[in-house]
Each structure stands twice: as structure tokens, then as C-alpha cells.
Amino acid sequence: MSSDSVGSLCARRPLAVLALRRLGFDVDDATRSVASVCELLGVDAAALDAAITAEEQKLAVAWNQPSTTAQIDALVRTYHQPFAEEARAVEIAFANGLPIWDAPLALFTELSENLAHHIEMEERVLFPLLRRSGSSVLSVIRALSLEHEDLVAELLAIGAASRACTAATSGVGVDAMRAFTRFETFVCESIHVETQLLFPRVLEIARR
């Protein structure tokens, strides 16, 4: 893990974003090595791995659903249905009239559109297939998992740009960053639930 970049770690394990934040580090450069971040925080790779695992275990307990269908229904209820409202809150916070925030706003608008399309594809194509648990789900899961990695990369880029703007705009920036941090947590959790909890469950059933 130490030789990974922060970006690749977060793409593979989205809750690393939350664990790093709890340890006092917000991702400012996705190309930084995990080893350099550990050195900065004064922790070793094992401690960081344990922090990420703790975040993952908390979510695993909360998402211990009795069936694939129940898990999908809960995911749609918890993450898909509130998505537009969560995204709108960030757009309002970023559209604060300060020109320096135009670039993060443009990046976020693009991410929001990509996420909306991703959610639509899941609900229209993937989730009906998952409910049937057939072998045809494999290629769809693979494609959407790659999209998840791209979405995390976009999220990290917006976070870095937003933190730079926050440093330059004082109180206004703090409000915008608070809204984005909430959204960042929301998206990282939803991606983790899908890639680490829902998809493996369905693939295991399909292999039987």
C-alpha cells in the first residue's frame, strides 16, 4: 500500500478518503504517495490500513441486509433518491459570487452530471440484472466499477481545488467546503456499498 498513490488507494477503497480526513489529512494531490502521507501524519501503513478498515467495518455492519433485493432498495433509498438534493446544496454553496470559485463549480457540475448518468444506468440496467443474479451481470459490474474509480478521481480533484479556494476566501470558503465534505462522504459511502458489499454478494451468487 505504501507504494500506491493516494488517488489509486482511494479509487480502490473509497472510504480511505474518510479515514485520511479523520487522521487530519485532506487529499490535496492525488498523485502523492501513500508513504509520504503516512510520514506527514506520523503513522505507518499498517495504522492507515487499520483506520480504513475501521471505516469499512462500520458501514458493513450498517448494511447487513437480508437479501440482494433489500440491499438494492436500501441503497436507492439512502443514496440515489437524495442525490439531487445533496448535489444542489454544493452547487449553491459554490455559486457564491466569487470568481475564484467558478472553476470548482464547473468541475462539480460535470461530476454531478456524470453521477446522475451513472445512477440512471444503475437503476435502468444494472439493478434489474442484479435482482435476477444472472451471469450477464459480470460485464456490467466491471464497466460500472471502472466508472466508480473515475468518479472518485473527479471527487478528489474537486476537493483539492475547493480547499485551495477556501484558503483564499475565508468564511465563504468554509461554508462551501463544509457542503462539499458532506457530499464527498455521501458519494464515497455509496460507491463503497456498491463495489465492496453489493457487487461481491451478487457475483458470489452468480458463481454458484
Side-chain angles (χ1 to χ4, degrees):
M1 185 173 73
S2 295
S3 61
D4 287 343
S5 68
V6 172
S8 63
L9 172 64
C10 293
R12 190 172 68 253
R13 302 174 71 183
L15 297 190
V17 176
L18 281 61
L20 286 166
R21 190 193 305 149
R22 290 187 190 281
L23 290 170
F25 180 78
D26 290 307
V27 179
D28 56 355
D29 180 358
T31 65
R32 291 183 65 156
S33 69
V34 172
S36 69
V37 172
C38 286
E39 183 177 1
L40 178 68
L41 294 173
V43 300
D44 59 19
L48 175 57
D49 181 69
I52 299 170
T53 300
E55 296 289 343
E56 293 169 342
Q57 289 175 339
K58 282 191 294 186
L59 213 54
V61 170
W63 282 85
N64 184 23
Q65 300 292 332
S67 68
T68 299
T69 295
Q71 201 162 46
I72 292 170
D73 290 343
L75 193 151
V76 170
R77 217 170 32 245
T78 305
Y79 297 114
H80 285 196
Q81 290 177 353
F83 165 73
E85 183 178 349
E86 294 287 342
R88 182 60 181 153
V90 178
E91 289 174 355
I92 291 171
F94 279 18
N96 48 43
L98 298 176
I100 194 174
W101 282 90
D102 290 348
L105 177 58
L107 290 173
F108 183 81
T109 299
E110 182 178 0
L111 171 64
S112 181
E113 291 171 355
N114 290 341
L115 276 166
H117 176 71
H118 182 84
I119 287 171
E120 180 187 1
M121 287 296 294
E122 288 186 330
E123 294 187 1
R124 184 166 57 84
V125 178
L126 178 62
F127 289 172
L129 288 174
L130 296 188
R131 292 178 194 277
R132 296 196 295 271
S133 301
S135 59
S136 58
V137 303
L138 300 178
S139 61
V140 181
I141 284 177
R142 192 174 298 114
L144 290 178
S145 294
L146 290 174
E147 281 192 18
H148 283 163
E149 294 181 8
D150 292 340
L151 292 169
V152 171
E154 289 185 64
L155 201 64
L156 294 180
I158 296 167
S162 300
R163 276 181 278 277
C165 291
T166 297
T169 54
S170 189
V172 173
V174 169
D175 291 341
M177 202 63 234
R178 185 180 297 115
F180 178 76
T181 298
R182 174 185 168 89
F183 184 83
E184 185 178 54
T185 299
F186 177 83
V187 173
C188 287
E189 286 184 354
S190 68
I191 291 176
H192 174 81
V193 168
E194 291 181 10
T195 58
Q196 303 298 327
L197 302 178
L198 176 61
F199 292 176
R201 180 179 196 162
V202 173
L203 293 173
E204 177 61 29
I205 294 171
R207 282 192 288 264
R208 291 175 188 170

